C-alpha cells in the first residue's frame, strides 16, 4: 500500500469518526485535516523529517484500534516515589481525565493550538486523540513529591497548566511498550513565576514508533526545565517547542540519548524568544552504538524586539561504531541585535588516547568505556530529584556496559 | 622481572626498535637515555600495550609471562605501570573515582577482594601527602585544567596508590621546574623497594641527580648502544650524545670491515 493510499485510509476513518465536537474543535479539526490533505504525510523529502524515516511505519498507525488507557493509577512501577496522577486527591491540583472525543472545555486554547498545526503529527493528534487529561496546579502550590504522568497507548492529548508561583515536578515515563505507533501531544502552560521541572524517561521496545509533541509556554519569570532521557530501542521523535512569552522567563532543555542496534532517536527543538530578557539553555548529549542513528535539530528564534535575550545551545555525540550516524543541525534565526547566543555541535569517535590511559591503569575495556561515557554524560545528570537521579544513573550505567559484565 | 630479547617494532611501516635487549631485575632502577627519535617513548608505549605498533620480531617476558600476549589492562594487572609523558585529560571523570576503579579492577584481575572505601581513602591520604597533592585536586576531573607539574605529580601519585612491581616513567622530568622535579623524585624514591623495579626514560642527567639509577643505558636508533653505571650518565652530560654515537658507529664499521 502506498503512502498516499494509507493516508487516504487514515483520513477516511477520521472523517467517519463519530463524536460530538465543539464548534471550535470542529474548526480546528477541519484545519488540521486540510493541512494533512494539502501536505500529506511527511517523507524524506520534508526537511523536518528528512532523517526520520517515519513513512515506513505508517502501517503501525491504526485508527480503528480503540484506545485502551494504561491509566489505572494502581502502580507506578520503577518510579515508586512519585505519585501517579489521579491516584488520590491531592491538595492544590485538579485532574480531569477524558475519553472518546475531546471534551468541550474552555481550557483548550484553540488559537494557541491552531498555531501548531504545521506539524503533521500534531494534526493527526487533533484528529485521532481519544483520551487525555487536564491537569491544573493551583497558583502558589509547592508540590514536593513528583507527579507521575500517565502514558497512553496510541494517541494521548494532555493539557497541563501551572498557576502563578506554583512549583511542580513532573515525570513522564514510557516503559515496556514493545510495539505500535504512539503519537502524543502535551501542552504545558507555565504561569507567572512558576517553576516546572519536567522529566521524560523513554524506554520503549524495538518495534515501537513514537512521536512526542510537547508545547510549552512560559509567562513572566517562569522557570521551565525539560530533561528527556531516551533509552528507546525503536524510533523516537521528540518535538519540543518552547515559547518564552514574557521577560524573566527561563527555559533549560536537556536531552540524553543512548540508541543501540538500529534504533533512532530524534530531537527537534524550537525555542522561540517572543520577549526580551528571556533566557534559554539547550544541552543535548548522546552515545550512538551499532547502527543507531541520532538526530538533533535545534532551532532558536529571536524576534526583533526580543532584546537582552540569552540563548545557548550545545549538542555533543560520541559514535562507537562506524555504522552509527548522527545528524546535527543548529538553526539560529536572530532578528534582535542586543542578544547573547551561542551554539556548538560536535560529533566524534571515542577518544582512543583516553581509553588507553584507563586500560594502562588496569581498567578493562568495557569498564573503561563506561567510565568515559558516563563522565561525558555526567553534566546531564545534575538532577534535583535525587531518586530519579539514582534511577537514571543506574539505567545509564547498565546501558553503557555490555550485558553480562559484572563490574 | 623484565627481559626484552631482540625486540624489533615498527610504527606506520617504519622500523623504530631494531633489536632491543634489556634485562631488569627486582630492586633495580634503570635509566634509559638517548637523543630524540631514538625509540625511547616507543619502547615505553609498546610495553604498556598501546595500539599502533607492529611487532616484527623478539620476545618480552614479564615475571615469567609473555607480556606481549596480554591486553593493556592485563599488563597493569600483572604489575606494570606506565607514567605517561602526556597524561590524558578526561573531562568529567573524577580523579578519585578513576583511581578507585583502577585499584578495584586490578584487584579483580588478581582475584583479590574488593577494597573498602575507608581502606582506599587511607591509601589515598597517605600518598597524597608524600606527593604534596591537596585533596581539592583529587575532587577535580582527571588531569583537566592541571598544570604540567600537577599532571606529572598526579602520575607518580597514581603509581604510589596502585603500587606496581615495574614502573616505566616516560620523560616524567620533562617540563618540570626544579621544585616539581624534587617532589616527583621524592615520591619515586619513596617507592623504591627490593621487590620493585623502575625504568626511567629521560633526556637529561638532571633527574638522575635525584633518583640515582643502578644502571644507565644509551638508546640510539632502536638499540642499546652502551650500558653502564650511573657514571655513564655523568659522562654523557659532559660529552653529549655525539661523541658516544660517533664511537659506536666507528666500532660498527670496524667490525663490519
Amino acid at each position: 500500500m502506498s503512502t498516499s493510499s494509507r493516508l487516504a485510509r487514515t483520513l477516511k476513518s477520521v472523517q467517519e469518526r463519530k463524536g460530538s465536537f465543539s464548534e471550535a474543535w470542529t474548526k480546528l479539526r477541519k484545519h488540521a485535516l486540510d493541512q494533512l490533505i494539502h501536505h500529506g504525510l511527511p517523507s524524506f523529502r520534508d526537511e523536518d523529517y528528512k532523517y526520520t524515516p517515519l513513512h515506513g511505519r505508517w502501517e503501525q498507525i491504526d485508527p480503528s484500534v480503540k484506545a485502551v488507557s494504561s491509566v489505572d493509577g494502581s502502580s507506578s512501577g520503577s518510579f515508586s516515589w512519585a505519585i501517579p496522577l489521579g491516584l488520590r486527591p491531592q491538595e492544590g491540583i485538579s485532574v480531569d481525565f477524558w475519553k472518546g472525543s475531546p471534551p468541550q472545555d474552555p481550557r483548550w486554547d484553540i488559537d494557541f493550538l491552531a498555531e501548531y498545526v504545521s506539524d503533521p503529527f500534531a494534526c493527526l493528534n487533533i484528529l485521532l486523540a481519544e483520551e487525555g487529561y487536564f491537569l491544573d496546579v493551583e497558583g502558589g502550590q509547592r508540590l514536593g513529591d513528583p507527579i507521575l504522568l500517565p502514558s497512553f497507548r496510541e494517541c494521548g492529548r494532555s493539557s497541563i497548566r501551572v498557576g502563578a508561583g506554583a512549583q511542580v515536578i513532573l515525570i513522564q515515563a514510557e516503559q515496556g511498550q514493545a510495539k505500535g505507533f504512539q503519537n502524543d501531544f502535551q501542552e504545558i502552560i507555565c504561569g507567572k513565576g512558576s517553576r516546572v521541572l519536567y522529566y521524560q524517561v523513554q524506554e520503549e521496545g524495538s518495534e515501537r514508533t513514537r512521536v512526542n509533541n510537547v508545547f510549552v509556554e512560559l509567562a513572566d519569570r517562569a522557570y521551565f526545565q525539560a530533561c528527556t532521557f531516551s533509552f528507546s530501542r525503536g524510533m523516537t521523535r521528540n518535538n519540543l517547542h518552547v515559547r518564552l512569552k514574557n521577560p524573566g522567563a527561563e527555559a533549560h532543555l536537556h536531552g540524553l540519548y543512548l540508541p543501540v542496534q538500529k534504533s533512532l532517536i530524534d530531537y527537534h527543538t524550537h525555542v522561540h524568544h517572543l520577549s526580551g530578557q528571556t533566557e534559554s539553555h539547550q544541552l543535548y548529549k548522546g552515545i550512538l552504538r551499532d547502527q543507531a542513528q541520532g538526530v538533533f535539530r535545534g532551532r532558536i528564534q529571536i524576534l526583533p524586539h526580543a532584546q537582552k535575550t540569552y540563548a545557548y545551545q550545545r549538542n555533543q555525540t560520541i559514535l562507537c561504531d562506524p555504522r552509527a550516524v548522527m545528524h546535527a543541525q543548529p538553526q539560529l534565526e536572530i532578528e534582535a541585535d542586543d542578544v547573547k547566543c551561542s551554539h556548538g555541535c560536535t560529533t566524534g569517535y571515542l577518544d582512543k588516547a583516553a581509553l588507553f590511559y584507563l586500560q594502562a591503569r588496569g581498567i578493562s575495556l568495557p569498564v573503561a568505556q563506561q567510565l568515559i561515557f558516563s563522565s561525558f554524560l555526567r553534566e546531564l545528570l545534575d538532577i534535583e530529584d535525587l531518586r530519579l537521579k539514582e534511577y537514571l544513573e543506574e539505567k545509564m550505567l547498565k546501558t553503557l556496559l555490555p550485558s553480562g559484565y559484572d563490574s | 622481572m623484565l627481559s626484552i630479547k631482540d625486540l624489533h617494532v615498527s610504527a606506520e611501516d617504519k622500523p623504530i626498535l631494531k633489536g632491543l635487549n634489556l634485562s631488569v631485575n627486582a630492586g633495580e632502577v634503570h635509566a634509559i637515555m638517548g637523543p630524540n627519535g631514538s625509540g625511547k617513548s616507543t619502547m615505553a608505549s609498546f610495553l604498556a600495550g598501546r595500539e599502533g605498533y607492529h611487532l616484527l620480531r623478539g620476545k618480552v617476558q614479564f615475571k615469567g609471562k609473555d607480556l606481549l600476549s596480554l591486553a593493556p589492562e592485563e599488563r597493569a594487572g600483572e604489575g606494570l605501570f606506565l607514567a605517561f609523558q602526556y597524561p590524558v585529560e578526561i573531562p568529567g571523570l573524577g580523579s578519585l573515582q578513576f583511581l578507585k576503579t583502577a585499584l578495584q579492577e586490578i584487584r579483580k584481575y588478581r582475584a583479590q577482594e574488593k577494597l573498602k572505601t575507608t581502606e582506599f581513602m587511607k591509601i589515598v591520604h597517605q600518598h597524597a601527602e608524600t606527593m604534596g597533592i591537596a585533596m581539592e585536586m583529587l575532587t577535580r576531573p582527571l588531569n583537566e585544567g592541571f598544570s604540567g607539574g600537577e599532571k606529572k605529580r598526579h602520575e607518580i601519585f597514581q603509581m604510589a596508590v596502585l603500587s606496581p612491581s615495574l614502573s616505566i616513567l616516560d620523560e616524567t622530568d620533562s617540563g618540570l621546574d626544579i621544585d616539581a622535579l624534587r617532589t616527583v623524585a621524592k615520591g619515586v624514591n619513596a617507592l623504591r623497594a627490593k621487590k620493585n623495579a623502575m625504568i626511567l626514560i629521560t633526556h637529561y642527567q638532571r633527574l638522575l641527580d635525584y633518583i640515582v639509577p643502578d644502571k644507565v643505558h644509551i638508546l640510539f636508533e632502536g638499540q642499546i648502544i652502551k650500558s653502564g653505571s650511573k657514571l655513564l650518565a655523568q659522562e654523557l652530560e659532559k660529552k653529549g650524545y655525539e661523541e658516544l654515537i660517533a664511537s659506536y658507529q666507528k666500532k660498527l664499521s670496524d667490525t663490519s670491515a
Side-chain angles (χ1 to χ4, degrees):
Chain A
M1 197 186 277
S2 70
T3 303
S4 58
S5 62
R6 233 180 269 288
L7 173 64
R9 193 187 64 167
T10 305
L11 296 183
K12 188 164 174 286
S13 76
V14 164
Q15 276 164 330
E16 283 167 359
R17 197 177 141 193
K18 297 198 169 48
S20 62
F21 299 102
S22 67
E23 200 184 313
W25 257 104
T26 309
K27 222 174 105 189
L28 187 65
R29 281 171 59 84
K30 168 101 181 37
H31 190 26
L33 194 60
D34 288 346
Q35 286 287 322
L36 274 180
I37 290 169
H38 185 69
H39 297 293
L41 294 170
S43 74
F44 55 86
R45 289 188 200 92
D46 293 273
E47 187 63 28
D48 265 353
Y49 285 86
K50 204 163 147 184
Y51 304 114
T52 318
L54 289 165
H55 48 276
R57 304 229 165 190
W58 294 123
E59 63 271 22
Q60 291 176 313
I61 303 181
D62 187 354
S64 62
V65 170
K66 280 284 148 236
V68 179
S69 177
S70 56
V71 187
D72 58 6
S74 61
S75 112
S76 46
S78 314
F79 305 91
S80 55
W81 69 93
I83 302 170
L85 187 69
L87 177 65
R88 55 171 188 263
Q90 238 182 307
E91 205 189 325
I93 73 167
S94 73
V95 195
D96 295 312
F97 288 101
W98 58 267
K99 263 193 182 192
S101 314
Q104 301 196 16
D105 195 296
R107 283 174 288 187
W108 293 126
D109 184 343
I110 302 293
D111 293 336
F112 167 69
L113 298 176
E115 281 193 43
Y116 295 118
V117 289
S118 55
D119 181 77
F121 291 96
C123 289
L124 270 178
N125 184 284
I126 288 170
L127 297 166
L128 299 174
E130 286 205 318
E131 56 181 333
Y133 59 86
F134 291 96
L135 163 61
D136 286 278
V137 180
E138 229 175 70
Q141 283 294 332
R142 295 183 172 208
L143 302 168
D145 289 320
I147 296 173
L148 184 67
L149 301 172
S151 41
F152 299 106
R153 203 167 141 258
E154 288 269 322
C155 200
R157 185 169 191 95
S158 51
S159 174
I160 298 167
R161 267 138 229 282
V162 182
Q167 294 189 2
V168 65
I169 301 170
L170 305 167
I171 299 177
Q172 178 77 61
E174 307 293 337
Q175 287 180 305
Q177 306 244 38
K179 287 183 175 179
F181 195 112
Q182 187 179 1
N183 176 22
D184 282 334
F185 185 101
Q186 203 158 37
E187 58 183 66
I188 304 173
I189 315 290
C190 309
K192 282 184 188 178
S194 63
R195 191 166 192 279
V196 180
L197 306 182
Y198 175 71
Y199 300 110
Q200 290 177 299
V201 185
Q202 303 174 336
E203 302 176 44
E204 285 115 336
S206 59
E207 284 170 61
R208 186 129 177 112
T209 306
R210 177 153 203 257
V211 181
N212 182 40
N213 269 305
V214 179
F215 290 82
V216 186
E217 213 168 68
L218 278 78
D220 315 48
R221 291 172 288 103
Y223 177 98
F224 174 77
Q225 187 183 29
C227 300
T228 308
F229 301 93
S230 197
F231 307 96
S232 295
R233 295 290 175 118
M235 190 180 285
T236 302
R237 163 70 173 242
N238 291 301
N239 290 334
L240 177 55
H241 194 134
V242 177
R243 289 157 58 98
L244 298 129
K245 273 176 73 181
N246 304 101
E250 187 180 331
H252 293 254
L253 314 182
H254 292 176
L256 180 155
Y257 42 101
L258 300 174
V260 293
Q261 288 152 12
K262 287 187 171 176
S263 57
L264 183 150
I265 299 176
D266 175 346
Y267 289 94
H268 268 59
T269 64
H270 182 179
V271 177
H272 203 157
H273 291 264
L274 297 160
S275 157
Q277 294 170 55
T278 49
E279 200 174 320
S280 67
H281 299 260
Q282 297 184 59
L283 177 63
Y284 287 82
K285 283 181 143 186
I287 293 162
L288 273 54
R289 286 175 184 258
D290 312 318
Q291 301 170 62
Q293 292 194 50
V295 181
F296 175 76
R297 190 162 186 226
R299 185 170 167 205
I300 297 174
Q301 204 179 353
I302 302 179
L303 292 188
H305 58 271
Q307 303 292 2
K308 307 260 183 239
T309 286
Y310 298 152
Y312 302 103
Q313 184 188 85
R314 186 150 54 94
N315 172 231
Q316 292 176 301
T317 309
I318 296 178
L319 304 175
C320 299
D321 195 302
R323 295 170 301 170
V325 179
M326 179 71 197
H327 303 280
Q329 187 183 11
Q331 205 181 340
L332 273 64
E333 298 161 30
I334 302 167
E335 294 175 72
D337 48 20
D338 186 10
V339 298
K340 276 187 190 167
C341 285
S342 73
H343 71 89
C345 286
T346 56
T347 300
Y349 288 105
L350 179 64
D351 181 0
K352 281 203 170 159
L355 204 57
F356 175 65
Y357 189 70
L358 298 185
Q359 282 181 281
R361 293 294 175 260
I363 301 172
S364 57
L365 190 62
V367 176
Q369 283 186 351
Q370 187 205 45
L371 265 187
I372 293 173
F373 293 153
S374 59
S375 311
F376 168 70
L377 298 172
R378 178 147 296 129
E379 60 182 325
L380 285 165
L381 289 175
D382 188 11
I383 296 169
E384 272 181 43
D385 188 302
L386 294 177
R387 288 155 298 186
L388 182 64
K389 181 180 172 152
E390 203 177 302
Y391 174 83
L392 289 167
E393 255 169 2
E394 203 173 297
K395 176 82 196 164
M396 182 185 81
L397 291 178
K398 219 176 123 190
T399 313
L400 293 176
L401 204 60
S403 57
Y405 195 92
D406 170 35
S407 61
Chain B
M1 178 169 299
L2 181 77
S3 143
I4 303 176
K5 282 194 183 129
D6 193 30
L7 188 64
H8 293 254
V9 171
S10 68
E12 289 166 0
D13 290 332
K14 198 179 146 212
I16 310 275
L17 300 181
K18 304 167 195 170
L20 181 75
N21 289 292
L22 181 69
S23 178
V24 179
N25 298 314
E28 293 176 351
V29 174
H30 290 235
I32 296 190
M33 306 180 73
N36 286 328
S38 56
K40 302 190 299 293
S41 285
T42 295
M43 181 194 116
S45 296
F46 180 75
L47 290 179
R50 190 194 286 272
E51 272 183 29
Y53 299 107
H54 189 64
L55 173 70
L56 301 171
R57 193 148 40 107
K59 261 190 178 174
V60 180
Q61 293 252 312
F62 177 54
K63 295 202 276 190
K65 284 194 178 156
D66 175 13
L67 184 75
L68 304 182
S69 69
L70 302 175
E73 61 268 31
E74 292 171 328
R75 300 182 194 192
E78 292 291 339
L80 183 76
F81 180 93
L82 171 66
F84 281 60
Q85 187 180 0
Y86 304 108
V88 183
E89 293 186 17
I90 304 182
L93 178 58
S95 296
L96 280 182
Q97 191 199 355
F98 156 72
L99 258 182
K100 196 176 169 194
T101 309
L103 202 54
Q104 301 291 27
E105 286 272 291
I106 288 174
R107 292 178 74 89
K108 191 175 156 187
Y109 178 82
R110 295 176 186 164
Q112 291 168 326
E113 267 181 41
K114 266 195 177 183
L115 204 64
K116 284 191 191 119
T117 304
T118 47
E119 294 169 85
F120 168 70
M121 286 313 291
K122 221 170 108 183
I123 299 173
V124 165
H125 281 291
Q126 180 199 333
H127 296 296
E129 204 177 337
T130 320
M131 289 310 301
I133 285 178
M135 288 312 283
E136 178 274 325
M137 185 172 158
L138 295 177
T139 60
R140 276 152 56 188
L142 188 61
N143 290 325
E144 208 183 16
F146 286 16
S147 70
E150 281 178 325
K151 281 182 185 171
K152 296 295 175 77
R153 263 194 291 153
H154 202 277
E155 290 291 294
I156 305 305
F157 166 67
Q158 288 174 31
M159 175 176 136
V161 171
L162 300 179
S163 176
S165 27
L166 176 67
S167 306
I168 303 171
L169 278 60
D170 188 8
E171 298 198 20
T172 299
D173 53 337
S174 67
L176 291 187
D177 60 36
I178 194 73
D179 292 333
L181 186 71
R182 275 189 189 138
T183 315
V184 164
K186 191 177 129 197
V188 172
N189 284 326
L191 299 170
R192 283 180 87 155
K194 275 199 178 133
K195 58 181 178 37
N196 297 338
M198 286 180 201
I199 298 173
L200 311 173
I201 290 173
T202 180
H203 270 294
Y204 309 105
Q205 197 260 335
R206 195 178 63 159
L207 178 70
L208 308 181
D209 287 341
Y210 297 96
I211 310 168
V212 182
D214 299 298
K215 279 183 184 158
V216 175
H217 311 275
I218 311 297
L219 191 67
F220 176 69
E221 289 191 341
Q223 283 188 342
I224 285 173
I225 58 167
K226 193 166 182 169
S227 297
S229 70
K230 62 180 180 182
L231 297 173
L232 178 59
Q234 286 161 13
E235 186 191 330
L236 190 70
E237 188 78 0
K238 268 188 226 136
K239 297 182 182 168
Y241 288 114
E242 253 172 59
E243 201 182 310
L244 244 161
I245 291 165
S247 75
Y248 163 70
Q249 280 164 339
K250 187 174 176 296
K251 208 168 84 188
L252 214 63
S253 59
D254 287 351
T255 38
S256 61

